[in-house]
Amino acid sequence: MPYVITSPCVADYSCLEICPVDCISPNPDDDAFDHAEQLYIDPDRCIDCAACVDACPVNAIYKQELLPPRWTHYAEVNRDYFRNAEKRIAVVQETSL
Amino acid sequence: MTKQVKTFCRICDPACPLTASVDDSGSITQLEPDREHPVGGIACHKGLSYLDLHRDQDRLNAPLRRENAKGDAAGIFEEVSWDTATRECAERLRAIISEHGPNAVAIYSGNPGVYNARGMTYGGAFSKMLGTSMMFSANTQDMSNRMVAAAGLYGSLSIMTPDLVNTDYLICMGSNPRVSKWTVFSTPNDSGRTMEAVKQRGGKICFVNPRVTESSTPETGETLLIKPGADVYFLAAVLHELNVTGALDQEVIARWGVGMEEALAFASQYPAERVQGVTGIAASEIKAVAADFRAAGAATIYVSVGVNQGRQGLLAAWLADLIVFATGNLGKRGGMYKPTGLADFYPPMPIDSISVDTSLGELRYTMGGPAPLPTIALAELINNGDIKALVSLAGNPLLSAAGEDQLREAFSKLELLIAVDIQRNATAEASDYVLPATDFLERADINFVAKGLQPIPYVQYTDPVVQPAHERRDDWRILTDIAREMGAYQGEDPDGWGIVNQMLAMDELSIDDLKAMPHQTKIFENTPHDDLFKKCLKHADGKVHCFPPEFVGAGIFERSEAIFQELDLEPDNALKMISMRTAYMHNSWMSNLKKFRRGAQSTNPLHLNPGDAAQREVADGDKVRVFNQYGSIETRVRLDESLRPGAVAMTHGYGGGRGAMRIAEANPGANPNKLVPNTMDTVEPLSNMSWIGAYPVEVEKVG
Amino acid sequence: MTTQKRPALRVAVVGAGPAGLYAVGQLLDQVDVDVDVDVLERLPTPHGLVRAGVAPDHPLKKRVIDNMFEFYLDHPRVRFFGNVELGDRVVPADLALWYDAVIYAVGASDDRKLGIPGEDLVGSYAAREFVAWYNGHPDFSDRQFDLSSERAVIVGTGNVALDVARILTCDLEVLRQTEIADYALDTLSRSKIKEVLILARRSHMQGAFNNPELEELGESSTVAVELRNATLTPEQQCLEQQLDWIDRRKVATLKKLQQRQLENPEKRIVFQFLTSPERILGDERVAGVSLQSNRLVGDSPDTLAIEGTGETTEVATGLVFRSIGYRGNALADLPFYDSTGTIPNALGRVLQHNEILPGVYVTGWIKRGPSGVIGSNKKCARETTSCLLEDLAAGRLKGDVLSPVAVEAELRQRCKALVTQSDWHRIDSAERLAGTAQSRPRVKFTDRASLLLAAGVPE
């Protein structure tokens, strides 16, 4: 099963840089990145290589079946992001840590 | 127009099928898993990142000749033509051989050469051309004991394969297949699905490791946290328990085995109650493993590098096969077997058949390639003047063998050091000549080393995806050109396939046949699991030697008991270093890829159990000195709850001294091999393996 | 084969928070040029808002320190000099002389004001101050927050507002396992707060919080979440469906939070949407807030706006936190846009009177304003360091610098109690070891004197 990015994600895109199949979005070269809350893994393109897991500086990436209970819904969140990828992402202007 | 080229990965045993996209200019634009390959599998990020290595600005492009003293840490090199490099290397080798004899030239083969069919076959042939028996390889750092165990038990180089696809119970020891993708077992990367399938069909995997690895999950199985270096006693206790509970298959033993009584007598020295202290695993747990093994319809054992490196890998490999054999699981579906494949033929392999007279006395080894002389002896043999020249083939012994400092000093005394490689690694940096080889995307190949280790047996051919850039040449050609120039080789083999062709011919195949097949792949039909009894048992009596007399002769059973007593007396807070694979290091190959050398991956921290850290008043991130009688290194601590107390872990392949590999050199990381025992008395008899895992270290805070 | 390499580029990064450290990381990534970096930081400790801003109950986010930033600071090409305050003894003009290039990553150390009467009463604070206080920031550790009121009011709906709401309502047993400052634990243990009222000027479809932070409120079994003014008129119902994916998810989560049935919740967090504070009430101390209701106008998510209804109410409270954004401060003699709280720049190159100041760069919040998540600073730093390297290649950097040894000597002469990376490691190690004994990640030193003592640096 694919890997899933969960809530601690801080959009440090080390995962995206090491992903060999380019299945993590949004890319920092895209405008969407500037308003992203987090990054997401496309479950249909992930090859389960796990390279992103330790590249993530905040340990936010899990194999889908090993998601901690509080974050199991992130499997759907990641999938959903790509279903909605064509849709515009609103500008979130307020400060967020 | 982008062209798609079917090829396969050559950085580890699975040989995952790949698709390369090549544009009109002849550049590779993308490397992807070949998802349509009939054998399946999805390549991992390391293999796909090989494209970065292919493009690396710091690659070797032309033959280099050293202009400064060899003792200087950084080489000053001049580019020379191939003609000059070949002629000068040949002249100097010939002069050394005529003055000191062929054994004054040593050959060291590194791990990448294994995934290079023509390079590997001609590496072996090159030593014969030169007439030298002074052969070394990375095998004595990782798995030569598996070869010798097979030779002792079966009389041939028949390393058996666990039938993971059908087994009901697997003991998986000293291995982290999820990260290291299996070794001496070849199936395209399945991201752990084969392991998960065991549990899904009602079977069980028992991991035995000093660390809960990435492989051990709720979907696969739990880990028994064994103390480092105690694998032999765990396996002996399991065998003994199986014996006393009447779980052995006496019929099979009587039909195929000799020496089982003596083997069981050895095992009886290590009942579960006696070994629980040394192994750190309760007697009840060991007995439960034996009970599970017995209860399973078909059971098997997989031991790998973590076990091999632990000072007694030979006995551990022997015991693993012996348990499988004695319980009737050898040659059985779901047990252990020898899959068919290319050149399904196993000639006799007498142990310790090759002898070399040296200043250290007579050194013996089993075969040219697989289980050569101990790398540990290399520095001393150079210092003593036995070895005057060293040819390193895709090797980096300076960082990957024991005792970097001693080796570095010894290398400076060599009359001639030649490195054939794709990058100017630490060993190349110390060399007189550096000869640029092709990478796997630049050379034609077949997945030769996988033969006999594949659950789905197949052979795949690949063209060069692109023509070699710059002056790079195939290894086989570099070697044959030198040998020809020396007058040591008169053969005619314009494409270098000569030896491979002979093997293909055994299956009535040729390179042209393979080229014509889809994915250039020929899949072989499986043969019965029990055909190993016919094809592999090559002792004169045709039996499985359960208590190999060569082992007895080498004293390894007494040695084992002595080690047991030593471990038994160890203080509770003793620390042992184990080697840990990560997703960011592949031996020392991937050192110069930026994306593998960032943040935490830019160094090589010491992983330490929080309890062990607290005892030493060491906090996460603290700078520590890791030391023992062999050496000392400094690094930072990473607290790691996956380790059992007493086990500390680092990754090998790190270290400095490779200034031309700029990313690696900017982020060298500490090299734990400076701590590896490097005296001949620490070498495992017969296998010549270094004690490269589970050796004692101390840790203290600095600053 | 021997190539003449230029001497290492000497760069100063001012500010050791995520913005500065990501810039260090980008510089270390360079292959074609060697870069030596000195990181100058006004506190004795690095890591900026990851240490003193990220909530203590978000330990994974703080892992970016151990997994990334510490490796940058430990790199042999990098030196950390803490306890160096720019302005008096060391000024930007000095740095310009000492280094090839200087990157200012000083963040936003102020906040936006509400601009309403009563904002300066005792009991009215910036959320920023409270956050720094519970995180043990040495400049805020002597603050006192009076939590004796039953209600706290937070103005603003960003993640900082949610952090404050969560900390104010959090189970103490949970907080005891974190690196929260000990004095904050003590104060929180005496807290009487039962309700945190979050005031949102705009509608429930326009929350500034991020989804993960909002969802996290649902993980507490003792804190109820209540929504006010979150119902739409029949004509506006369709708006929720037209929101983009991120905002739809927020609305769905808000509804889920409201529908949760908790048995005897001990505390509650109330989101009151479409409400603006008009005045903070009280004589010397805050006694309440006067609120004005707003209404939502517009027929598509793009055109939504609010307008005041003129209707006002009052709510009693002793504690008000404004949480409507951080704000950068001017730095010594560097140019500054007061309107945005940033240093004027083009892609990170600092501008003075619309001219590029050679060798002077900005990154992070002082460059782009206080927005984004931690990793946004990586992209931001990439842009800045690309400019820097471009300028290097184009010969726009002066190349006449002070040697590393001389720079350190200058710093030591001018700044008392300079904290180096190994000194910081002594602080770090001592904090972690103290934490181990209490099963916490660390126990922080919260004042300069004890930080410097742990560092082994005489004051």
Side-chain angles (χ1 to χ4, degrees), chain A residues 3 18 47-48 51 55 63 66, chain B residues 43 45 178 193 196 219 584:
Chain A
Y3 283 76
I18 205 162
I47 60 169
D48 295 3
K63 198 162 192 251
L66 301 177
Chain B
H45 71 292
R178 187 71 180 86
R193 288 196 184 81
E196 289 167 8
E219 275 60 45
Y584 307 96

Side-chain angles (χ1 to χ4, degrees), chain B residues 460-471:
Chain B
Q460 181 169 9
Y461 166 82
T462 177
D463 273 328
V465 175
V466 290
Q467 288 309 307
H470 306 285
E471 299 284 308

Side-chain angles (χ1 to χ4, degrees), chain B residues 221-429:
Chain B
E222 290 179 7
T223 299
L224 289 179
L225 284 167
I226 193 168
K227 285 186 182 172
D231 314 288
V232 168
Y233 312 110
F234 170 81
L235 287 168
V238 170
L239 177 59
H240 177 68
E241 181 65 17
L242 287 165
N243 182 31
V244 298
T245 54
L248 301 191
D249 188 330
Q250 300 301 343
E251 204 177 310
V252 166
I253 293 170
R255 170 70 185 84
W256 292 109
V258 290
M260 185 58 88
E261 273 178 38
E262 291 92 329
L264 293 174
F266 169 76
S268 72
Q269 292 176 260
Y270 304 102
E273 288 77 7
R274 184 178 179 223
V275 306
Q276 54 187 352
V278 161
T279 59
I281 301 176
S284 58
E285 301 253 36
I286 297 174
K287 289 180 180 186
V289 169
D292 283 347
F293 203 91
R294 180 186 184 179
T300 192
I301 304 176
Y302 174 75
V303 297
S304 194
V305 180
V307 173
N308 302 347
Q309 295 184 328
R311 184 154 63 144
Q312 299 191 73
L314 174 57
L315 281 191
W318 163 74
L319 276 168
D321 278 36
L322 201 62
I323 291 170
V324 170
F325 168 66
T327 51
N329 282 296
L330 186 67
K332 179 169 146 184
R333 188 183 147 89
M336 236 184 221
Y337 69 127
K338 191 66 190 165
T340 187
L342 178 66
D344 193 14
F345 170 70
Y346 296 89
M349 190 171 82
I351 291 178
D352 259 9
S353 48
I354 297 174
S355 159
V356 193
D357 282 322
T358 74
S359 60
L360 305 176
E362 186 196 32
L363 296 180
R364 301 188 72 89
Y365 64 98
T366 294
M367 254 182 78
L373 290 169
T375 311
I376 293 291
L378 190 54
E380 221 174 331
L381 290 173
I382 295 170
N383 290 338
N384 293 353
D386 296 84
I387 296 172
K388 303 286 185 191
L390 176 67
V391 183
S392 173
L393 305 176
N396 190 10
L398 262 190
L399 295 193
S400 64
E404 180 187 332
D405 299 336
Q406 292 84 349
L407 264 183
R408 193 174 283 284
E409 202 198 325
F411 281 5
S412 72
K413 297 177 191 159
L414 282 168
E415 286 179 22
L416 179 63
L417 177 52
I418 301 172
V420 181
D421 214 298
I422 65 170
Q423 41 192 4
R424 199 164 126 193
N425 63 29
T427 303
E429 192 66 35

Side-chain angles (χ1 to χ4, degrees), chain B residues 619, chain C residues 428-445:
Chain C
D428 190 34
S429 182
E431 287 188 344
R432 289 178 198 265
L433 285 175
T436 306
Q438 299 179 24
S439 301
R440 297 165 68 186
R442 66 173 69 233
V443 177
K444 281 183 179 172
F445 297 108

